[in-house]
């Protein structure tokens, strides 16, 4: 039984490593790639985590890098870990916008941050 298993393993590895390698077929052409949507999800557990995660100046820098996408969505998930193990509370809000409306999108993210701060302050 050991010999049969060894022969099967040798055959499997022989077939696996004997695949032809044609580098021209494996090259990805970047000419026809079009980015459609980008989804960003931030999950925070407390108000202290929220402050450094949603820095508007970092998001402005991020917008410079994601100009190739046509549509951007941003989701903020606020978990309240102070509740009991049986009952857990959370809040989730998602916004979507075309990439051209950068100022409007950043304003909505600031509104989301204010909503999350209110959520954590009211759940004390």
């Amino acid at each position: 039984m050991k010999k049969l298993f060894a022969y099967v393993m040798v055959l499997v590895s022989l077939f696996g490593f004997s695949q032809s390698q044609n580098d021209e077929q494996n090259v990805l052409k970047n000419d026809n790639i079009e980015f459609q949507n980008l989804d960003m999800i931030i999950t925070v557990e407390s108000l202290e985590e929220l402050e450094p995660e949603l820095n508007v100046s970092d998001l402005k820098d991020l917008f410079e890098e994601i100009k190739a996408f046509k549509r951007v969505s941003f989701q903020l998930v606020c978990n309240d870990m102070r509740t009991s193990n049986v009952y857990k509370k959370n809040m989730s809000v998602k916004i979507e916008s075309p990439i051209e409306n950068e100022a409007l999108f950043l304003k909505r993210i600031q509104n989301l941050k204010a909503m999350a701060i209110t959520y954590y302050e009211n759940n004390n």
Side-chain angles (χ1 to χ4, degrees):
M1 187 69 176
K2 275 184 165 179
K3 288 184 180 182
L4 178 65
F5 182 71
Y7 288 130
V8 169
M9 291 305 293
V10 169
L11 284 175
V12 168
S13 61
L14 181 70
F15 284 121
F17 288 116
S18 67
Q19 299 294 324
S20 66
Q21 299 214 357
N22 190 350
D23 291 334
E24 291 179 15
Q25 291 178 349
N26 294 334
V27 174
L28 180 64
K29 305 280 187 206
N30 290 337
D31 299 337
N32 298 329
I33 295 177
E34 184 176 305
F35 299 108
Q36 295 291 325
N37 297 329
L38 175 67
D39 296 326
M40 295 180 278
I41 301 172
I42 294 181
T43 303
V44 293
E45 307 292 334
S46 66
L47 183 59
E48 292 79 25
E49 279 186 27
L50 178 67
E51 293 296 330
E53 288 294 327
L54 278 178
N55 190 351
V56 177
S57 63
D58 291 342
L59 291 173
K60 285 181 183 178
D61 294 339
L62 179 67
F63 262 92
E64 295 301 320
E65 297 177 15
I66 61 173
K67 292 288 186 187
F69 293 94
K70 292 185 177 180
R71 194 156 191 79
V72 178
S73 72
F74 183 86
Q75 183 175 2
L76 178 63
V77 180
C78 298
N79 294 326
D80 193 358
M81 301 307 286
R82 295 170 294 178
T83 57
S84 67
N85 289 338
V86 178
Y87 181 70
K88 297 185 184 204
K89 295 191 291 186
N90 66 3
M91 175 188 78
S92 175
V93 182
K94 181 177 182 179
I95 57 173
E96 293 183 16
S97 177
I99 195 71
E100 295 87 27
N101 298 336
E102 178 182 343
L104 178 64
F105 194 71
L106 289 174
K107 183 178 178 185
R108 287 181 178 172
I109 290 176
Q110 288 175 338
N111 290 344
L112 281 181
K113 185 176 181 179
M115 238 191 292
I117 290 171
T118 304
Y119 171 77
Y120 281 118
E121 286 176 349
N122 290 338
N123 284 325
N124 277 337

